Amino acid sequence: MSAQNLAEVVAKAAKAAFEASQLIPSSERVKALCSMRAELEAAKDEILAANRKDLEAARAEVDSGRMSSALLKRLDLDKGDKWESMLQGITDVAELPDPTGKVTYASELDDGLELYRVSCPIGVLLVIFEARPEVVVNIAALAIKSGNAAILKGGKESNETTQLLSKAIQAALSKTSIPSTYIQAIQTRTEVSALLELDRYIDLVIPRGSNSLVRNIQNSTRIPVMGHADGLCSVYLDETADLGKALRIVVDSKTDYPAACNAAETLIVHESLLSTVWPAVAKALLAADVELLCDPPTLFALSSLSPPPANLSSHVYPSSPESYSTEHLSLTLSVTAAPSLAAAVQFINAHSSHHTDSIVTEDEEAAATFCRGVDSAGTFVNASTRFADGFRYGFGTEVGISTGRIHARGPVGLEGLVTYKYMLRSKGEKGHVVGEFGSGEGKKQYKHRQIVADSVPF
Amino acid sequence: MSAQNLAEVVAKAAKAAFEASQLIPSSERVKALCSMRAELEAAKDEILAANRKDLEAARAEVDSGRMSSALLKRLDLDKGDKWESMLQGITDVAELPDPTGKVTYASELDDGLELYRVSCPIGVLLVIFEARPEVVVNIAALAIKSGNAAILKGGKESNETTQLLSKAIQAALSKTSIPSTYIQAIQTRTEVSALLELDRYIDLVIPRGSNSLVRNIQNSTRIPVMGHADGLCSVYLDETADLGKALRIVVDSKTDYPAACNAAETLIVHESLLSTVWPAVAKALLAADVELLCDPPTLFALSSLSPPPANLSSHVYPSSPESYSTEHLSLTLSVTAAPSLAAAVQFINAHSSHHTDSIVTEDEEAAATFCRGVDSAGTFVNASTRFADGFRYGFGTEVGISTGRIHARGPVGLEGLVTYKYMLRSKGEKGHVVGEFGSGEGKKQYKHRQIVADSVPF
């Protein structure tokens, strides 16, 4: 079968499975998750053996310099508590509140005519991710919990592992009334390209991986894409910044996990701090092995110190304009001075990726101005940018972080995998028609009386 | 200036206006709306004179057969109470609750570390619509109320009118602290094409008009598009349908306003009703001058009646497969028989545009199955599809109706023009960093205590 034909078969089956699943009670989805954990436990030896095959092949690639050892590490499903925490993740998701079937608006339009807005699954998700094989299980759990069908494509390096994981997931589904084509895995990029054309079957694409993966997908589909390409976060030290807070927040934002999308890439320093707070912060960063790319004022402030900070010559460099639009993802930080809060806000809006930005300040008004003026998914006061995360926000799990403004923004929990529909129910003796309403004589008026309801009563 | 350059200037100015407006209190937006009404009232004569120029030009087009007289009617701003209701619309929107600044999730992550999810405007809207000039005012009011900047493109037939309306809107803005480039109008399709490329400045495209307009836009931009291409709604007469309800609901759904997107285009009849309810419904439709495109069972049921219904030969025709994917927008209805509720649900999911579908039934379980099984923005029981409308739903106003599943679905009120951002505030003595949290010794745990708050307390 050609990749096009295969994609069509897979997508059609996913849509049919989604539609069939709409009449199955959500308790069956929880049952599927329990069954999934059991199937994975039963197949553990087999799966880890397949994982070792992937690892061997990858090791050969690393040895010949065609793959990074970081990628190799991510591939290993038997490392530390990865296997156990993958299984625990299924149970955690199963125990989260059902995101579907919740009434978010209800109104009696007329006597006996009741309108309910009810949360419901989106439909068919296409999830594309890179090496980590446990993501298959993670995403399958989220999709099942939220009532969406899903098509999953992992990195080719983990193909052997992914195939057995999906087999276990399908075995689990076959023990429930949910169709087993509810979760399907595909193997090749050609299939992905073909699927990205099928907007009549696929409702949302979720890419999880590198910038270039996300950008390529955004550029090649009409299907809505949820995710973020860049994580270009910044910290701004305001005129009234407290030195202790500045030190802790800048160092944590940069060094806690530099490869994360919520790590800071840019530091903006109010001009009045150039000879006070800035040198102390710079020394702390240099002590943590951070390389600084500085604009002329912040660079001059450091080079004119006496004695100059240790590491100055090895770790401090002049910045270029590109420094401020680069996601370093490493122990490198771009630094610039700003003459005012307003200038800092403007700088952030022009350069950041609208992910998360933080101000360090003791001034209430500056905090409020920053939080409203910075046009990002997260605007923080005296807190590390690293807090931008679904678990830390209290969502129990995270589908990803979105820098888009449509549908879901910032860390996305299960809520991001649902939409809503309107159910309208007439209990009137003759049913309800709009011709009876209007401004003429004998016409009815809409009543719009609020109904208090958590779920649809029929 | 080239269209590309002009589009860039317009889009950049809109984004700058949006960013500047984030620090302006929402009361100023209400002031702008009042001022807008006053400016329009003051310029009434001038605007209606420009409208007459558009009308004269259009009349010449109609006379030469290049324009429909329906389009001509929509152009006339002085017809009936159109002018007055356009002005009243501004006041109505001004009086709606502010959709921004509402807290929808709040949690204390740790002592003194508070997270707020707050509704806020999306950014810059590009709204593209056809002839009706009053839409300029309508959309400008919605954008201003919700805090979004907007770029508006009307039909070329209403250019003279649109220019003066935008002039009055900009005059109103100039009397407030909101930048006057907050609402801008453009004139040519080339500018629209150039704007559709500018996803770094424009956040959402809202097309209001014909299928082909919407489809063309969806196919030519990476910017999210909110709207609907088709309104292919259906009514299903279930086995237990009450005759009186069936008659009223089918006739109202089809004939109340056949050109609307929420009018029914397809009727599905349970096989058991072919010789009972169906002939009566068909006669009522024929009496209302509706043309019926029938599949063999529904056609045979009518032709075998004795005496045959009046209009049979002039108004009843065999359907073709295309009939069931055609949005007639006129007094034509496609009809098909279904052997079961499940078959009807499947037929609707395969053929409808996921807009609004209605079941006529006396069976509680069938109602519940239909509402859950039909994958449309609106699933109705014993009610006309024509109820699918923002005003009727009680939203006060309507931005449009969305058949997408992402962000907003069904009739979209002001809520569809907002997104949210997360504000995180540390009141801790040393600020908050994530390095302090974790599972090791001496590490803190997240508390996730719910905060009850309607608005952000800072």
Side-chain angles (χ1 to χ4, degrees):
Chain A
M1 211 188 298
S2 74
Q4 274 69 25
N5 290 344
L6 182 63
E8 176 107 16
V9 168
V10 166
K12 232 172 158 165
K15 194 67 160 192
F18 167 69
E19 285 172 4
S21 73
Q22 291 306 288
L23 298 175
I24 298 170
S26 63
S27 56
E28 196 71 8
R29 306 202 301 256
V30 174
K31 194 178 139 192
L33 292 175
C34 300
S35 169
M36 186 167 139
R37 181 172 181 153
E39 289 290 335
L40 287 167
E41 275 169 344
K44 181 177 179 181
D45 292 345
E46 208 188 332
I47 294 168
L48 291 182
N51 188 233
R52 279 190 295 275
K53 269 199 229 168
D54 280 333
L55 280 168
E56 270 160 41
R59 221 164 269 133
E61 293 290 297
V62 173
D63 290 345
S64 65
R66 284 191 297 266
M67 191 192 275
S68 72
S69 52
L71 204 136
L72 180 71
K73 253 187 243 169
R74 289 204 287 270
L75 213 52
D76 188 352
L77 205 52
D78 201 20
K79 193 172 170 268
D81 62 349
K82 212 192 258 183
W83 174 266
E84 275 312 312
S85 67
M86 178 184 87
L87 295 186
Q88 185 54 40
I90 302 172
T91 307
D92 291 347
V93 167
E95 286 169 356
L96 285 173
D98 183 3
T100 66
K102 281 188 196 156
V103 170
T104 56
Y105 178 85
S107 175
E108 196 178 25
L109 308 190
D110 184 31
D111 296 330
L113 183 63
E114 297 180 353
L115 178 73
Y116 296 89
R117 182 168 71 196
V118 198
S119 66
C120 63
I122 290 173
V124 177
L125 315 177
L126 171 61
V127 189
I128 302 158
F129 47 93
E130 287 165 336
R132 306 174 190 268
E134 73 275 19
V135 174
V136 178
V137 172
N138 184 219
I139 294 283
L142 293 169
I144 292 171
K145 179 72 189 184
S146 58
N148 292 285
I151 303 169
L152 311 176
K153 161 75 174 72
K156 65 175 186 317
E157 307 78 15
S158 59
N159 260 352
E160 297 281 339
T161 320
T162 307
Q163 280 190 37
L164 287 194
L165 291 172
S166 332
K167 205 179 126 195
I169 295 167
Q170 298 213 331
L173 289 171
S174 71
K175 293 189 173 156
T176 70
S177 53
I178 302 171
S180 63
T181 51
Y182 202 66
I183 305 290
Q184 298 173 86
I186 54 166
Q187 305 288 343
T188 72
R189 285 200 190 173
T190 335
E191 285 157 39
V192 172
S193 305
L195 285 168
L196 290 174
E197 298 285 322
L198 300 176
D199 56 329
R200 65 190 178 285
Y201 300 122
I202 297 169
D203 301 295
L204 183 65
V205 182
I206 307 178
R208 286 175 51 151
S210 68
N211 291 5
S212 60
L213 173 79
V214 179
R215 275 191 206 290
N216 282 339
I217 287 166
Q218 284 173 332
N219 284 332
S220 50
T221 187
R222 281 191 299 153
I223 306 170
V225 177
M226 183 162 75
H228 67 281
D230 285 312
L232 233 123
C233 303
S234 55
V235 177
Y236 164 59
L237 304 180
D238 186 40
E239 210 170 349
T240 62
D242 172 83
L243 174 61
K245 291 179 187 170
L247 285 169
R248 276 162 46 86
I249 290 160
V250 174
V251 172
D252 188 86
S253 296
K254 179 70 254 180
T255 68
D256 182 64
Y257 185 12
C261 65
N262 57 12
E265 305 294 1
T266 302
L267 174 66
I268 304 159
V269 182
H270 190 279
E271 279 178 3
S272 65
L273 308 180
L274 283 176
S275 59
T276 54
V277 172
W278 164 232
V281 168
K283 281 177 199 163
L285 287 165
L286 292 171
D289 204 28
V290 175
E291 192 177 274
L292 303 172
L293 306 178
C294 298
D295 71 344
T298 55
L299 187 61
F300 180 77
L302 296 188
S303 58
S304 56
L305 289 176
S306 143
N311 293 354
L312 181 71
S313 59
S314 64
H315 279 63
V316 182
Y317 299 94
S319 63
S320 69
E322 293 72 44
S323 306
Y324 305 102
S325 49
T326 303
E327 189 178 6
H328 305 297
L329 295 173
S330 63
L331 286 175
T332 299
L333 185 67
S334 311
V335 188
T336 185
S340 64
L341 169 62
V345 169
Q346 258 185 351
F347 184 90
I348 292 172
N349 285 339
H351 294 86
S352 95
S353 67
H354 310 289
H355 186 299
T356 303
D357 300 281
S358 184
I359 184 175
V360 180
T361 187
E362 295 300 302
D363 180 340
E364 285 290 316
E365 212 179 301
T369 299
F370 184 88
C371 284
R372 283 157 185 79
V374 169
D375 182 28
S376 294
T379 53
F380 291 4
V381 182
N382 294 332
S384 166
T385 56
R386 291 269 301 133
F387 281 108
D389 172 281
F391 294 93
R392 290 172 194 148
Y393 277 12
F395 302 161
T397 186
E398 184 181 279
V399 177
I401 293 188
S402 167
T403 55
R405 295 135 194 271
I406 303 303
H407 191 66
R409 194 181 195 194
V412 182
L414 276 178
E415 270 184 37
L417 294 184
V418 299
T419 179
Y420 53 78
K421 69 200 288 188
Y422 288 93
M423 298 185 185
L424 179 68
R425 172 81 189 264
S426 166
K427 296 176 179 168
E429 264 176 49
K430 302 187 289 175
H432 271 86
V433 295
V434 304
E436 298 177 321
F437 295 81
S439 52
E441 212 193 292
K443 295 284 187 179
K444 296 205 260 183
Q445 303 299 310
Y446 289 96
K447 300 201 165 155
H448 296 141
R449 275 187 297 248
Q450 202 201 333
I451 297 172
V452 179
D454 289 330
S455 61
V456 179
F458 59 93
Chain B
M1 212 188 298
S2 75
Q4 273 70 25
N5 289 345
L6 182 64
E8 176 106 18
V9 168
V10 166
K12 231 172 159 166
K15 194 67 160 190
F18 167 69
E19 285 173 3
S21 73
Q22 291 306 289
L23 297 175
I24 298 171
S26 63
S27 56
E28 196 72 8
R29 305 202 302 255
V30 174
K31 195 177 137 189
L33 292 175
C34 300
S35 169
M36 188 167 137
R37 181 173 181 152
E39 289 290 335
L40 287 167
E41 274 170 344
K44 181 177 178 181
D45 293 345
E46 208 186 332
I47 293 168
L48 291 181
N51 189 234
R52 280 191 295 275
K53 269 199 230 169
D54 279 334
L55 280 168
E56 270 160 42
R59 222 164 268 133
E61 294 290 297
V62 173
D63 291 344
S64 65
R66 285 190 297 267
M67 191 192 276
S68 72
S69 53
L71 204 137
L72 180 71
K73 253 187 242 169
R74 289 204 286 270
L75 214 52
D76 188 352
L77 205 51
D78 202 18
K79 192 171 170 270
D81 63 348
K82 211 191 260 182
W83 174 266
E84 274 313 311
S85 68
M86 177 183 86
L87 295 185
Q88 186 53 41
I90 303 171
T91 308
D92 291 347
V93 168
E95 286 169 356
L96 286 173
D98 183 4
T100 66
K102 280 187 196 156
V103 169
T104 55
Y105 178 85
S107 175
E108 195 176 28
L109 309 190
D110 184 32
D111 296 330
L113 183 63
E114 297 180 353
L115 178 73
Y116 296 89
R117 181 168 70 195
V118 198
S119 66
C120 63
I122 291 172
V124 177
L125 315 177
L126 172 60
V127 189
I128 301 159
F129 47 94
E130 288 166 334
R132 307 173 189 269
E134 72 276 18
V135 175
V136 178
V137 171
N138 185 219
I139 294 283
L142 292 169
I144 292 171
K145 179 71 188 186
S146 57
N148 292 285
I151 303 170
L152 312 176
K153 162 75 173 72
K156 66 175 187 316
E157 307 77 14
S158 59
N159 260 351
E160 298 281 339
T161 320
T162 306
Q163 280 191 38
L164 288 194
L165 291 172
S166 333
K167 207 180 126 195
I169 295 166
Q170 298 213 332
L173 289 171
S174 71
K175 292 187 174 156
T176 70
S177 53
I178 301 170
S180 63
T181 51
Y182 201 67
I183 305 289
Q184 298 173 87
I186 54 166
Q187 305 287 341
T188 72
R189 285 199 189 174
T190 336
E191 284 156 39
V192 172
S193 305
L195 285 168
L196 290 173
E197 298 285 322
L198 299 176
D199 57 328
R200 64 191 179 285
Y201 300 122
I202 297 169
D203 301 296
L204 183 64
V205 182
I206 307 179
R208 286 177 50 152
S210 67
N211 291 4
S212 61
L213 173 79
V214 178
R215 277 192 205 287
N216 282 340
I217 288 166
Q218 283 174 332
N219 283 332
S220 50
T221 186
R222 279 191 299 153
I223 307 170
V225 177
M226 183 162 75
H228 67 280
D230 285 313
L232 232 124
C233 304
S234 55
V235 177
Y236 165 59
L237 303 181
D238 187 39
E239 209 171 350
T240 62
D242 171 83
L243 174 61
K245 290 180 186 172
L247 286 170
R248 276 162 47 85
I249 289 159
V250 174
V251 172
D252 188 86
S253 296
K254 179 69 253 180
T255 68
D256 182 64
Y257 186 12
C261 65
N262 56 13
E265 305 294 2
T266 302
L267 175 66
I268 303 159
V269 182
H270 190 279
E271 280 179 2
S272 65
L273 308 181
L274 283 176
S275 60
T276 53
V277 172
W278 164 231
V281 168
K283 281 178 199 163
L285 287 165
L286 293 171
D289 204 27
V290 176
E291 192 176 275
L292 303 173
L293 305 178
C294 298
D295 70 343
T298 55
L299 187 62
F300 179 76
L302 296 188
S303 57
S304 56
L305 288 177
S306 144
N311 292 352
L312 181 71
S313 60
S314 63
H315 279 63
V316 182
Y317 300 95
S319 62
S320 70
E322 293 71 44
S323 305
Y324 304 101
S325 49
T326 302
E327 190 179 5
H328 305 297
L329 295 173
S330 63
L331 286 175
T332 298
L333 185 67
S334 311
V335 188
T336 185
S340 64
L341 169 62
V345 168
Q346 258 186 351
F347 185 89
I348 293 172
N349 286 339
H351 293 87
S352 94
S353 67
H354 309 289
H355 186 298
T356 302
D357 300 281
S358 184
I359 184 175
V360 180
T361 187
E362 295 301 302
D363 179 341
E364 285 290 316
E365 211 179 303
T369 299
F370 184 88
C371 284
R372 282 157 185 79
V374 169
D375 183 27
S376 294
T379 52
F380 291 4
V381 181
N382 294 332
S384 166
T385 56
R386 291 270 300 132
F387 281 108
D389 171 281
F391 293 93
R392 291 173 194 148
Y393 277 13
F395 302 161
T397 187
E398 184 181 280
V399 177
I401 293 188
S402 167
T403 53
R405 294 136 194 269
I406 303 301
H407 191 65
R409 194 181 196 196
V412 182
L414 277 177
E415 270 183 36
L417 295 183
V418 300
T419 178
Y420 53 78
K421 68 201 286 188
Y422 288 92
M423 298 186 186
L424 180 69
R425 172 81 188 265
S426 165
K427 295 175 177 167
E429 263 176 48
K430 302 187 288 174
H432 271 87
V433 295
V434 303
E436 298 176 322
F437 294 80
S439 52
E441 211 193 292
K443 294 283 187 179
K444 295 205 262 184
Q445 303 298 312
Y446 289 95
K447 300 201 163 155
H448 297 142
R449 276 188 295 250
Q450 201 200 334
I451 298 173
V452 179
D454 289 329
S455 60
V456 179
F458 58 92

